[in-house]
């Protein structure tokens, strides 16, 4: 009983101390402790983010041609270790940039904001064992309202499905995911799609791989999506019901 | 669904054996004799006069089913999904105490993408609208599959199947899972339902000559089923390639 009373008294003392410390932290005597958002505020923020994502997704709809650069590293890294001397810095061959172009065709799914895209490339496929955009690719984009985030699933010619989760930051959505095997654990992919209103869509694909935990090898695809003559992106097309 | 049930039964065979072992002490002679004595003491004179009956021999065979992790066979299974379908079945809403079943109608078209292939499906599936007692919307009461798109592909990380479905509101449901015989089973968190909610999907696709694909999606919250989508997909046309049909003009 006595022990209980002591513990209650000590807790009260701690509470008083904490309140006085928080209040005295600001010279004006105003508490600087931020009040946590109420559940209603959190929900309102979530709903607004979902709306923003819906607006953003609709910007992707249309038929585009893309032009850009596809930079693939040769991954030929050399490190010379002479006897009795410290190892020389690792030398890696720079990636060879290559022009890339193709067609990007996206439709809305029904009247919703979900987007289905087919990407066709005119480039020849180099390495059939690696996922890339050299061949035709299908992309499905939709919203996970609970997180909230945009889900992105890419299906390549080999039937391999890669999945990414992206968050809206201004006019851009950044998707992150580990690489598809056999790239290994030291590999990650970042896809950044910037889609401002009334401007070309900028699509950036960065695959970063650590070689020997030292050299950072990056595959970079940088595309601008321009409205094609056949279809304007301002007029969203949707899958017919 | 019969095959699916058989598979589940076979998978549960080990569990059955475990239960039998657990019950075994009760079947030992000492235990059984005391149990017999107790039964005899409690049974009526007429029953006690009956000759003792022996149970038939019960044989339980169990074999462990392993998920199929062979990419070639997974891709072969994916190929079974290709074709045009007529949808039948039902949507069942409710937690078992008061369930409502609505008939389903619709159509679907699954095309191959690439040589492997990946599978891309466009579906148009609906059921009569169902609302709450005060006219409010209830989860699953209205079809959001008019239309919807689904992509299925090989999951190279887990050597299983990965899928994503986007409905006509733009909401994405995704999952990844494994092949168990002819059945793909995936489990993923629910979308739009708070709490401990799981979406369990089972797709049973028989070899290519089969004309029926069965799909069942259960939405379970705290292990209680809230919804069941039971789709029977009757094939109306064979497969075609989506690579050519959906590839944009160059």
């Amino acid at each position: 009983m006595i022990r209980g009373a002591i513990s209650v008294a000590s807790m009260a003392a701690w509470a008083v101390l904490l309140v006085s410390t928080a209040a005295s932290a600001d010279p004006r005597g105003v508490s600087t402790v931020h009040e946590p958002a109420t559940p209603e505020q959190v929900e309102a923020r979530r709903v607004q983010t979902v709306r923003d994502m819906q607006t953003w997704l609709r910007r992707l709809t249309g038929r585009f041609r893309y032009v850009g650069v596809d930079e693939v590293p040769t991954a030929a890294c050399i490190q010379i270790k002479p006897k009795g001397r410290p190892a020389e810095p690792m030398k890696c061959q720079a990636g060879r940039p290559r022009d890339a172009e193709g067609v990007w065709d996206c439709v809305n799914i029904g009247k919703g904001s979900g987007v289905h895209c087919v990407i066709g490339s005119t480039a020849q496929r180099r390495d059939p064992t690696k996922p890339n955009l050299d061949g035709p690719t299908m992309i499905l984009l939709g919203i996970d309202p609970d997180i909230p985030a945009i889900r992105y699933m890419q299906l390549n010619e080999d039937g391999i499905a890669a999945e990414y989760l992206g968050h809206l930051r201004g006019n851009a959505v950044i998707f992150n995911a580990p690489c598809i095997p056999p790239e290994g654990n030291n590999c990650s992919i970042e896809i950044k799609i910037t889609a401002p209103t009334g401007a070309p869509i900028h699509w950036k694909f960065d695959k970063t791989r650590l070689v020997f935990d030292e050299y950072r090898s990056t595959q970079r695809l940088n595309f601008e999506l321009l409205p094609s003559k056949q279809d304007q992106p301002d007029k969203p097309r949707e899958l017919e019901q | 669904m019969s095959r699916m049930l058989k598979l589940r039964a076979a998978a549960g065979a080990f569990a059955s054996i475990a239960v039998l072992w657990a019950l075994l002490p009760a079947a030992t002679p000492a235990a059984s004799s005391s149990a017999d004595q107790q039964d005899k003491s409690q049974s009526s004179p007429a029953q006690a006069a009956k000759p003792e009956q022996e149970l038939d021999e019960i044989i339980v065979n169990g074999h462990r089913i392993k998920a199929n992790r062979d990419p070639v066979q997974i891709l072969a299974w994916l190929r079974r999904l290709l074709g045009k379908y007529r949808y039948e079945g039902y949507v069942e809403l409710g937690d078992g105490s008061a369930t409502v079943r609505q008939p389903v109608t619709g159509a679907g078209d699954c095309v191959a993408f690439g040589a492997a292939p990946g599978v891309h499906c466009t579906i148009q599936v609906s059921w009569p609208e169902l609302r709450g007692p005060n006219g409010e919307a209830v989860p699953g009461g209205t079809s959001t599959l008019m239309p919807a798109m689904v992509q299925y592909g090989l999951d190279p990380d887990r050597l299983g199947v990965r899928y994503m479905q986007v409905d006509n509101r733009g909401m994405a449901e995704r999952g990844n899972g494994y092949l168990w015989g002819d059945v793909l089973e995936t489990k993923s968190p629910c979308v739009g339902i708070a709490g401990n909610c799981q979406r369990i999907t089972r797709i049973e696709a028989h070899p290519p000559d089969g004309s029926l694909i069965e799909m069942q999606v259960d939405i379970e919250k705290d292990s209680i089923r809230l919804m069941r989508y039971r789709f029977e997909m009757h094939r109306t046309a064979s497969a075609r390639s989506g690579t050519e049909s959906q590839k944009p003009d160059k």
Side-chain angles (χ1 to χ4, degrees):
Chain A
M1 184 74 169
I2 293 168
R3 196 187 295 170
I6 290 169
S7 66
V8 168
S10 65
M11 279 171 67
W14 271 109
V16 169
L17 188 66
L18 280 170
V19 168
S20 62
T21 310
S24 63
D26 192 298
R28 292 165 297 180
V30 180
S31 173
T32 53
V33 178
H34 293 287
E35 291 199 3
T38 62
E40 291 77 19
Q41 287 172 324
V42 172
E43 177 60 11
R45 204 177 299 158
R46 187 191 67 81
V47 170
Q48 186 56 49
T49 308
V50 169
R51 282 198 195 121
D52 292 344
M53 287 173 172
Q54 287 172 328
T55 306
W56 185 88
L57 277 173
R58 287 184 187 282
R59 294 180 194 157
L60 302 183
T61 313
R63 179 170 285 194
F64 307 89
R65 65 186 170 84
Y66 69 79
V67 290
V69 176
D70 174 2
E71 184 184 321
V72 181
T74 54
C77 296
I78 302 167
Q79 189 176 34
I80 301 167
K81 292 181 179 175
K83 276 187 181 177
R85 280 187 289 168
E88 289 182 9
M90 188 180 293
K91 289 175 186 171
C92 293
Q93 233 176 312
R96 287 198 301 257
R98 182 189 67 158
D99 290 339
E101 59 178 322
V103 179
W104 177 296
D105 197 8
C106 298
V107 293
N108 275 129
I109 301 167
K111 296 195 185 301
S113 53
V115 177
H116 172 246
C117 302
V118 181
I119 304 171
S121 168
T122 54
Q124 288 293 314
R125 187 163 190 180
R126 284 168 304 233
D127 187 348
T129 63
K130 290 181 182 174
N132 53 33
L133 285 174
D134 289 351
T137 304
M138 269 191 184
I139 291 171
L140 202 53
L141 290 144
I143 293 170
D144 187 324
D146 298 332
I147 299 177
I150 294 182
R151 292 201 177 273
Y152 173 120
M153 184 167 156
Q154 183 178 312
L155 202 57
N156 76 1
E157 269 195 309
D158 300 327
I160 291 176
E163 200 181 347
Y164 309 93
L165 191 68
H167 297 275
L168 185 65
R169 301 276 181 271
N171 283 325
V173 173
I174 300 168
F175 300 91
N176 291 99
C179 297
I180 292 170
E183 296 280 358
N185 294 326
N186 293 334
C187 183
S188 63
I189 291 175
E190 183 182 287
I191 297 170
K192 184 178 180 183
I193 304 174
T194 311
T197 317
I201 296 168
H202 190 239
W203 195 86
K204 190 175 158 192
F205 172 96
D206 275 349
K207 183 164 76 180
T208 304
R209 189 159 55 101
L210 287 175
V211 182
F212 308 125
D213 292 331
E214 286 179 28
Y215 174 64
R216 193 174 289 273
S217 134
T218 303
Q219 180 185 357
R220 180 161 291 165
L221 295 101
N222 242 329
F223 297 134
E224 265 198 353
L225 272 61
L226 307 167
S228 75
K229 290 173 188 172
Q230 296 155 338
D231 197 3
Q232 296 297 317
D234 298 338
K235 296 175 184 172
R237 298 180 306 136
E238 64 186 50
L239 184 77
E240 288 177 7
Q241 290 195 27
Chain B
M1 187 49 62
S2 58
R3 280 198 191 182
M4 191 187 288
L5 290 173
K6 279 178 196 167
L7 279 170
R8 296 287 98 206
F14 264 103
S16 309
I17 292 168
V19 170
L20 284 174
W21 274 108
L23 295 172
L24 205 56
T28 54
S32 62
S33 61
S34 65
D36 286 349
Q37 283 168 8
Q38 199 177 1
D39 284 350
K40 279 173 190 172
S41 64
Q42 288 176 353
S43 60
S44 65
Q47 282 173 326
K50 279 186 179 176
E52 200 172 88
Q53 290 182 344
E54 282 188 8
L55 283 171
D56 289 336
E57 191 176 359
I58 298 172
I59 300 169
V60 179
N61 287 319
H63 61 281
R64 192 184 297 275
I65 295 180
K66 284 185 179 175
N68 191 341
R69 305 286 189 95
D70 181 355
V72 175
Q73 290 185 33
I74 293 170
L75 290 170
W77 185 88
L78 284 173
R79 216 167 283 132
R80 294 179 192 173
L81 301 180
L82 304 175
K84 289 191 175 190
Y85 298 94
R86 173 173 47 84
Y87 272 66
E88 288 178 4
Y90 60 84
V91 169
E92 197 175 78
L93 307 177
D95 58 2
S97 55
T99 53
V100 181
R101 194 178 273 197
Q102 298 288 73
V104 159
T105 54
D109 187 6
C110 292
V111 296
F113 186 74
V119 177
H120 175 82
C121 302
T122 305
I123 59 173
Q124 309 253 7
V125 177
S126 66
W127 51 90
E129 190 177 11
L130 201 68
R131 289 189 166 266
N134 300 317
E136 74 274 17
V138 292
T142 309
S143 170
T144 58
L145 307 177
M146 285 293 283
M149 285 190 178
V150 197
Q151 282 186 179
Y152 300 90
L154 176 70
D155 179 353
D157 293 323
R158 300 175 179 83
L159 291 177
V161 173
R162 199 188 281 274
Y163 82 92
M164 189 164 118
Q165 172 185 299
V166 179
D167 65 18
N168 63 6
R169 302 167 302 163
M171 300 303 151
E173 308 247 15
R174 41 83 52 201
N176 49 273
Y178 300 106
L179 265 186
W180 304 84
D182 290 331
V183 181
L184 169 70
E185 187 170 310
T186 70
K187 285 181 186 174
S188 54
C190 302
V191 171
I193 300 175
N196 177 25
C197 184
Q198 267 199 322
R199 178 188 168 97
I200 303 160
T201 304
R202 294 184 183 93
I203 303 173
E204 183 173 4
H206 302 292
D209 54 334
S211 60
L212 177 69
I213 292 178
E214 291 168 286
M215 180 188 283
Q216 185 168 294
V217 182
D218 287 339
I219 308 292
E220 289 183 1
K221 190 174 179 184
D222 298 325
S223 301
I224 296 170
R225 198 174 77 208
L226 300 179
M227 269 177 268
R228 168 169 283 179
Y229 301 89
R230 177 94 172 86
F231 299 149
E232 289 175 0
M233 299 153 63
H234 300 269
R235 196 187 299 273
T236 55
S238 57
R240 67 187 170 92
S241 167
T243 312
E244 292 308 316
S245 60
Q246 303 218 13
K247 195 188 285 184
D249 302 330
K250 288 179 181 174

